[in-house]
Amino acid sequence: MYYGEIKKTDIADGEGVRVSLFVSGCRIHCPGCFNSKTWDFLFGQEFTKDTEDEILSYLAPEYISGLTVLGGEPFEEENQRVLTPFFHRVRETYPKKTVWCYTGYVYDVDLLPEDGKKHIECTADMLSCIDVLVDGPFVQELRDLTLTFRGSSNQRILHLKN
């Protein structure tokens, strides 16, 4: 897996001050996407153990609320297989910090059901590590700048953990 950017402090992509990882690779290609350069699966740098360690160090300060992963598309099959064990490392290292994830796929259609188009052997495991999932494709005609943590009104903020 590759990634386009790591933001050490981000307040736009989830509650509190967060570390954000922008993964590379997306097959959805939403018109008007704010980050279309990350559609390319080889954009940016390779995600390695050193990258994981770097992100874990950025999560250490008490003022950091957690990790946000967006893209690109975290739920592309290739990305799920890399992110799932990384999410477990984050959860084990920082059990009180939250994990937010953005996806252009729809949770209860594409991800959750075993016959969903993006459900693979590790999807349920990956979802079990996520506190808040923002789902749904960006729809330019539904763009709404007044929404918090979303770009278009069809997107949902789903609290997967209480």
Side-chain angles (χ1 to χ4, degrees):
M1 180 180 86
Y2 281 70
Y3 69 96
E5 184 179 5
I6 298 168
K7 289 186 179 178
K8 294 181 190 180
T9 54
D10 183 2
I11 58 168
D13 298 310
E15 293 175 347
V17 180
R18 313 189 65 74
V19 175
S20 292
L21 168 65
F22 292 79
V23 301
S24 295
C26 182
R27 294 183 177 92
I28 302 171
H29 299 181
C30 301
C33 174
F34 81 101
N35 208 8
S36 59
K37 63 187 175 194
T38 63
W39 293 352
D40 180 351
F41 280 84
L42 298 177
F43 175 77
Q45 302 175 58
E46 188 174 358
F47 188 83
T48 65
K49 170 100 169 44
D50 288 342
T51 312
E52 289 187 13
D53 293 344
E54 179 183 353
I55 292 170
L56 288 171
S57 75
Y58 297 156
L59 287 166
E62 199 165 307
Y63 66 86
I64 298 291
S65 299
L67 173 69
T68 297
V69 178
L70 55 172
E73 176 53 57
F75 280 92
E76 295 297 0
E77 294 86 339
E78 303 91 323
N79 294 343
Q80 287 188 56
R81 290 184 178 107
V82 174
L83 289 170
T84 300
F86 173 58
F87 281 0
H88 279 287
R89 278 192 75 195
V90 171
R91 301 302 302 186
E92 289 164 11
T93 307
Y94 301 108
K96 295 185 180 187
K97 298 198 186 241
T98 58
V99 174
W100 280 54
C101 190
Y102 283 73
T103 180
Y105 294 106
V106 178
Y107 172 68
D108 45 343
V109 174
D110 302 316
L111 305 178
L112 192 58
E114 288 190 18
D115 63 347
K117 69 179 171 183
K118 289 298 169 177
H119 188 96
I120 60 172
E121 76 283 348
C122 61
T123 305
D125 194 18
M126 182 165 152
L127 287 167
S128 76
C129 296
I130 296 169
D131 296 285
V132 178
L133 182 72
V134 181
D135 82 334
F138 172 75
V139 177
Q140 200 162 11
E141 298 77 31
L142 300 176
R143 181 177 182 229
D144 185 345
L145 297 176
T146 67
L147 296 171
T148 305
F149 308 130
R150 299 175 290 153
S152 59
S153 60
N154 63 298
Q155 295 172 316
R156 304 179 296 175
I157 298 174
L158 304 172
H159 295 269
L160 303 185
K161 295 184 181 292
N162 292 332

